[in-house]
């Protein structure tokens, strides 16, 4: 990696660190926050579903912003939108607002995140290629995941401890403050490199063009299509599990007000992200096809969720949670690298946003469904059902594998010089 590529990587890691830290202040206590506001399990996960519905609704329009106005502009808009909608969430909690208002603000939260999805990753890939970096992207994306895990570890633990020492609303205010700081950092450091925005004076026409490009380069491209079709099952279940573990672990722990325990659950997932990011490029050196990693990750993760659903011992549940998180995290950089190697630079942000849309669409359905299962049968049963749902992703991953796209074996260990640490 040359000096220019190292600089791009440092900026990417800085943005990842700040954004994840801001977001993670509430990740350990979000479900408890919603329940404390008077929502039922179904309503709490329905609010989360409206959040993912917002991501589905706005992924393509914000993809237009990223590809037409620049990835930097998209990132800056994301920090402002997410900070504002997070503060509105805090106000809803203060006034015990009705469910419909939670639904509306949750959609706005989804809008904030869609400005980030696809844009940051597309900015990184294009800038690295422009700088002359020719190595495998698993290495850089894995480092990003490790930094994200460290930030999540710090933020989730701090959020849980601060909530227990003060109240459930303070972590939301901390998120607002850090997001505004990240606006200033990105404004000073982030520049679109290796990519020239194509600005349009007709937003609706641009949206239609971007949607058409997403379909043409995404759903109409068989190996990409099957990876995208697997996303609703894996992403939908993953989102539910992350938030359901908060009340589930408190239930096993026996103290509904031990918010630091909920933060501990998020911290374990964060630590697993660090380990998974470190493992990903190393696993890639041992496995010829990227789809092998993805398939094994989905199957193993699903089995662990089923076992977790029958666990009644707190410490055993923590161990299983950590194992599930490590396996899931190790597959993420491999999946990102696989997709990026199949997407042209011009439509990169658009197709990546469309992929995020597919994952979010699964969350819209899966979260309230499993939330209702938790109301009726309990959290353990809902986790086991989630494991069964995740298995539906496997046939689509197998179908992508059968397309024999060269990206499946890019930077594989059989390629001689590409087996070293710099190109795994």
């Amino acid at each position: 990696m040359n000096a220019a590529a190292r600089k791009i990587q440092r900026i990417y890691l800085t943005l990842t660190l700040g954004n994840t830290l801001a977001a993670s202040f509430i990740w350990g206590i979000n479900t408890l926050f919603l329940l404390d506001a008077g929502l039922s399990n179904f309503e709490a996960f329905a609010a989360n579903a409206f959040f993912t519905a917002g991501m589905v609704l706005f992924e393509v329009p914000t993809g237009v912003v990223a590809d037409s106005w620049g990835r930097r502009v998209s990132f800056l808009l994301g920090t402002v939108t997410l900070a504002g909608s997070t503060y509105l969430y805090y106000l809803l909690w203060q006034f015990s607002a009705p469910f419909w208002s939670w639904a509306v603000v949750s959609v706005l939260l989804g809008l904030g995140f869609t400005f980030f999805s696809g844009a940051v990753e597309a900015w990184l890939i294009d800038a690295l290629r422009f700088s002359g970096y020719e190595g495998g992207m698993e290495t850089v994306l894995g480092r990003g995941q490790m930094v994200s895990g460290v930030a999540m570890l710090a933020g989730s633990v701090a959020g849980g401890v601060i909530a227990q020492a003060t109240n459930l609303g303070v972590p939301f205010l901390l998120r607002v403050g850090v997001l505004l700081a990240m606006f200033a950092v990105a404004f000073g450091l982030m520049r679109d490199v290796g990519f020239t925005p194509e600005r349009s004076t007709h937003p609706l026409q641009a949206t239609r063009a971007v949607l058409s490009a997403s379909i043409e380069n995404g759903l109409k491209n068989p190996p990409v299509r099957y990876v995208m079709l697997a996303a609703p099952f894996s992403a939908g279940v993953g989102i539910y599990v992350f938030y359901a573990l908060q009340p589930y672990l408190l239930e096993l722990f026996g103290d509904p007000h031990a918010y630091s325990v909920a933060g501990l659950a998020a911290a374990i997932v964060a630590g697993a992200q660090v380990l998974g990011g470190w493992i990903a490029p190393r696993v890639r050196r041992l496995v010829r096809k990227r789809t092998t990693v993805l398939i094994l990750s989905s199957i193993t993760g699903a089995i662990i969720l089923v076992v977790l659903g029958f666990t009644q011992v707190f410490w055993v549940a923590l161990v299983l949670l950590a194992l599930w998180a490590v396996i899931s995290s190790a597959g993420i950089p491999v999946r990102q690298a696989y997709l990026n190697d199949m997407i042209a630079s011009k439509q990169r942000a658009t197709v990546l946003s469309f992929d995020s849309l597919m994952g979010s669409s699964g969350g819209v359905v899966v979260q309230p469904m499993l939330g209702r299962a938790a109301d009726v049968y309990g959290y353990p049963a809902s986790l086991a059902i989630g494991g069964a749902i995740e298995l539906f992703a496997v046939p689509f991953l197998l179908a992508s594998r059968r397309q024999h796209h060269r990206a499946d074996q890019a930077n594989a260990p059989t390629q001689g010089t590409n087996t070293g640490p710099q190109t795994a």
Side-chain angles (χ1 to χ4, degrees):
M1 184 176 289
N2 58 35
R6 291 183 193 279
K7 181 179 179 180
I8 295 298
Q9 180 181 246
R10 282 196 300 271
I11 296 173
Y12 165 68
L13 296 180
T14 300
L15 297 177
T16 300
L17 176 69
N19 251 26
T20 307
L21 179 65
S24 63
F25 279 128
I26 74 164
W27 283 347
I29 50 95
N30 182 68
T31 304
L32 305 176
F33 175 84
L34 295 173
L35 296 175
D36 187 67
L39 303 183
S40 66
N41 281 319
F42 173 75
E43 288 174 329
F45 287 103
N48 286 338
F50 274 100
F51 161 72
T52 50
M55 295 188 71
V56 171
L57 181 63
F58 294 113
E59 280 290 3
V60 172
T62 55
V64 172
V65 173
D67 282 338
S68 300
W69 290 89
R71 285 79 191 262
R72 177 176 180 264
V73 170
S74 186
F75 186 93
L76 294 174
L77 287 173
T79 57
V80 173
T81 305
L82 191 55
S85 53
T86 298
Y87 185 66
L88 288 177
Y89 236 45
Y90 171 79
L91 293 179
L92 294 182
W93 174 75
Q94 284 274 57
F95 296 105
S96 299
F99 174 74
W100 69 264
S101 57
W102 290 96
V104 172
V105 178
S106 293
V107 171
L108 294 178
L109 281 170
L111 169 62
F113 274 101
T114 58
F115 280 114
F116 299 130
S117 62
V120 179
E121 190 175 319
W123 175 84
L124 170 70
I125 302 298
D126 289 338
L128 282 178
R129 294 305 188 201
F130 181 80
S131 69
Y133 177 72
E134 297 180 354
M137 290 299 168
E138 285 96 339
T139 300
V140 180
L141 292 169
R143 287 170 185 161
Q145 184 168 296
M146 292 172 69
V147 168
S148 177
V150 171
M152 181 179 171
L153 178 63
S156 57
V157 170
V161 171
I162 291 170
Q164 188 162 338
T166 56
N167 60 61
L168 287 166
V170 173
F172 285 77
L173 296 179
L174 287 175
R175 177 197 259 194
V176 173
V178 175
L179 282 170
L180 294 178
M182 287 309 300
F183 176 91
V185 171
F187 188 85
L189 295 179
M190 194 177 184
R191 296 290 183 274
D192 287 323
V193 181
F195 166 78
T196 302
E198 295 183 2
R199 303 192 175 189
S200 172
T201 56
H202 304 286
L204 291 179
Q205 182 179 354
T207 299
R208 286 195 297 268
V210 165
L211 181 59
S212 176
S214 299
I215 295 173
E216 189 67 32
N217 296 280
L219 290 179
K220 288 188 177 181
N221 185 354
V224 176
R225 175 174 68 240
Y226 292 123
V227 173
M228 286 184 174
L229 290 176
F233 303 102
S234 55
V237 171
I239 295 170
Y240 172 79
V241 171
F242 180 76
Y243 288 114
L245 285 172
Q246 299 164 21
Y248 169 63
L249 289 176
L250 286 183
E251 186 178 281
L252 291 181
F253 189 72
D255 183 357
H257 299 291
Y259 301 140
S260 57
V261 172
L264 176 63
I268 289 175
V269 174
Q273 281 196 351
V274 176
L275 184 57
W278 179 81
I279 289 174
R282 287 157 178 81
V283 170
R284 185 67 182 93
R285 294 178 194 141
L286 303 175
V287 179
R288 187 167 60 90
K289 291 189 174 183
R290 286 165 166 162
T291 50
T292 300
V293 178
L294 302 183
I295 292 166
L296 291 178
S297 175
S298 290
I299 293 174
T300 309
I303 293 172
I304 292 173
L305 287 181
V306 172
V307 175
L308 191 62
F310 292 94
T311 301
Q312 298 297 321
V313 181
F314 176 75
W315 295 108
V316 174
L318 282 182
V319 172
L320 289 173
L321 164 62
L323 185 59
W324 170 79
V326 168
I327 291 171
S328 299
S329 298
I332 293 173
V334 178
R335 184 183 187 277
Q336 290 173 305
Y338 182 41
L339 272 180
N340 274 288
D341 278 351
M342 295 188 289
I343 301 171
S345 173
K346 188 175 181 180
Q347 292 87 29
R348 193 181 305 281
T350 297
V351 177
L352 291 177
S353 290
F354 197 78
D355 175 57
S356 179
L357 181 154
M358 295 294 289
S360 297
S361 66
V364 173
V365 178
V366 171
Q367 287 187 90
M369 182 179 72
L370 292 181
R372 180 58 179 166
D375 276 333
V376 177
Y377 306 111
Y379 282 108
S382 70
L383 293 174
I385 295 171
I389 291 174
E390 185 168 353
L391 287 175
F392 284 98
V394 175
F396 293 107
L397 296 174
L398 287 169
S400 180
R401 180 188 181 90
R402 286 194 291 268
Q403 303 305 309
H404 304 293
H405 195 283
R406 58 184 177 80
D408 200 7
Q409 299 186 60
N411 300 103
T414 55
Q415 292 180 314
T417 58
N418 283 347
T419 60
Q422 295 296 321
T423 59

